[in-house]
C-alpha cells in the first residue's frame, strides 16, 4: 500500500532537517518503506482538506490505504510496530524502547520547544532575557540527566531503536543553541544518528524539496 506523508512546501529552515517530517522520512528509510510526499503551503495546511487529516492544521501527516495519522510520536510508533528494524522483538526491550520515544517527546522536547518560542516569538518582550536563562537551565537539567544515563553507550538501550530516532531528532533542534556541545557524549550520540545511512537519505530528500523550489 502506498504511504504518503505531508511536508512543508517551503520550510523555514530551508530543508535542513528540522521540520518534523524528517522524523517520519528517517523512520521510513530505516525500515525500507518507499513513500510519497505531498507538499503543502502554510495556507493549505489550514484548509478543511488538510485539517481533515490533521486537526491542528500541521505537518506531517501519514496516509496508508484507509489509515490517516498525525503526531510524529504516533506515526513513528505505527511504522516501527508494523515493520522490522526500529523496535526489538523481545517484549521488555520493546517496552523500554517505546518508553524512550515518550521520554523524547514528553520530557526532553518541551523545554527545547520553549527555547524556540522565547527566541523566535518572545524576543521583543521585556522579560525575554530572564525567561531565556530559565529555559536554558531547564534544558541543561534534562541534558545533564540524559548525558549521565547514556554514559559511554552508543544508543539508549542496546541496539538503535525508534527511541533513539525520536531522541536524536529532538536534540537536533539544539544544534544552533550551543547547549548540546556542553555534553560531548550527547553531541556524539546525535552525530551517530546523523551518520546513519537512512538519516542521510531522509536528509537529502528533505533538502531536495528546498533546492527544487529555489531553482525551479
Ligand atoms: N506534536 C506535533 C508532531 O510531533 O507531529 C507537532 C507538529 C508540528 O509542530 N508541526 C509543525 C507545523 O506544522 C512543523 S514541525 N507548523 C505549522 C503550524 O503549526 O502552523 C515544527 C518545525 C517547524 C519549522 C522548523 N524550522 O524551520 O526550523 C522546525 C520545526
Amino acid at each position: 500500500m502506498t504511504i504518503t506523508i505531508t511536508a512543508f512546501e517551503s520550510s523555514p529552515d530551508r530543508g535542513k532537517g528540522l521540520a518534523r517530517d524528517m522524523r517520519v522520512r528517517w523512520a521510513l528509510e530505516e525500515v525500507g518503506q518507499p513513500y510519497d510526499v505531498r507538499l503543502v503551503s502554510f495556507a493549505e495546511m489550514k484548509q478543511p482538506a488538510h485539517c481533515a487529516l490533521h486537526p491542528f492544521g500541521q505537518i506531517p501527516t501519514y496516509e496508508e490505504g484507509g489509515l490517516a495519522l498525525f503526531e510524529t510520536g504516533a506515526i513513528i510508533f505505527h511504522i516501527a510496530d508494523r515493520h522490522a528494524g526500529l523496535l526489538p522483538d523481545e517484549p521488555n526491550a520493546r517496552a523500554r524502547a517505546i518508553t524512550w520515544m515518550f521520554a523524547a517527546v514528553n520530557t526532553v522536547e518541551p523545554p527545547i520547544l520553549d527555547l524556540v518560542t522565547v527566541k523566535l516569538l518572545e524576543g521583543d518582550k521585556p522579560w525575554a532575557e530572564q525567561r531565556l536563562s530559565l529555559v536554558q537551565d531547564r534544558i541543561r537539567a534534562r541534558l545533564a540527566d540524559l548525558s549521565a544515563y547514556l554514559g559511554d553507550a552508543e544508543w539508549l538501550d542496546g541496539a538503535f531503536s525508534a527511541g533513539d530516532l525520536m531522541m536524536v531528532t529532538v536534540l537536533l533542534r539544539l544544534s544552533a543553541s550551543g547547549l548540546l556541545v556542553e555534553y560531548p557524549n550527547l553531541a556524539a550520540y546525535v552525530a551517530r544518528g546523523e551518520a546513519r545511512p537512512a538519516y542521510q537519505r531522509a536528509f537529502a530528500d528533505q533538502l531536495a524539496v528546498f533546492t527544487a523550489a529555489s531553482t525551479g
Side-chain angles (χ1 to χ4, degrees):
M1 229 167 317
T2 309
I3 294 170
T4 303
I5 69 167
T6 51
F8 282 138
E9 180 182 75
S10 179
S11 183
D13 76 336
R14 304 159 74 88
K16 295 285 168 47
L18 296 179
R20 282 191 180 77
D21 57 293
M22 182 63 197
R23 297 174 183 178
V24 181
R25 290 172 184 271
W26 185 8
L28 288 167
E29 291 289 348
E30 288 283 352
V31 302
Q33 283 297 303
Y35 61 97
D36 292 338
V37 182
R38 189 168 64 248
L39 301 176
V40 288
S41 66
F42 280 95
E44 281 165 346
M45 262 184 271
K46 307 302 171 193
Q47 295 299 312
H50 186 76
C51 290
L53 297 172
H54 197 309
F56 306 110
Q58 296 184 312
I59 60 100
T61 57
Y62 176 101
E63 292 159 82
E64 185 182 15
L67 176 69
L69 297 174
F70 62 98
E71 281 298 331
T72 50
I75 296 170
I76 305 303
F77 176 70
H78 171 77
I79 295 167
D81 197 41
R82 298 288 167 96
H83 305 281
L86 281 172
L87 285 175
D89 290 333
E90 196 279 311
N92 287 352
R94 192 175 182 91
R96 288 196 304 273
I98 294 166
T99 299
W100 278 113
M101 293 182 65
F102 277 90
V105 292
N106 248 3
T107 302
V108 179
E109 189 166 46
I112 294 176
L113 294 181
D114 283 347
L115 182 68
V116 176
T117 303
V118 71
K119 282 190 170 174
L120 294 186
L121 303 176
E122 299 170 346
D124 58 343
K125 305 285 187 242
W127 37 261
E129 218 161 296
Q130 278 168 299
R131 177 157 158 73
L132 178 63
S133 154
L134 288 173
V135 168
Q136 286 171 330
D137 286 346
R138 278 186 212 126
I139 294 172
R140 284 194 181 96
R142 292 293 187 233
L143 296 185
D145 287 343
L146 187 66
S147 168
Y149 181 89
L150 183 68
D152 294 331
E154 198 177 3
W155 306 113
L156 287 166
D157 194 306
F160 176 82
S161 78
D164 295 297
L165 186 149
M166 290 303 278
M167 191 65 82
V168 167
T169 54
V170 162
L171 295 177
L172 268 166
R173 279 303 275 282
L174 289 174
S175 298
S177 72
L179 291 172
L180 195 59
V181 291
E182 292 177 17
Y183 304 87
N185 67 333
L186 293 184
Y189 169 69
V190 169
R192 272 194 295 281
E194 290 178 289
R196 291 179 71 84
Y199 178 94
Q200 294 289 322
R201 289 194 295 275
F203 185 92
D205 285 349
Q206 203 194 51
L207 185 62
V209 173
F210 174 77
T211 312
S214 55
T215 56

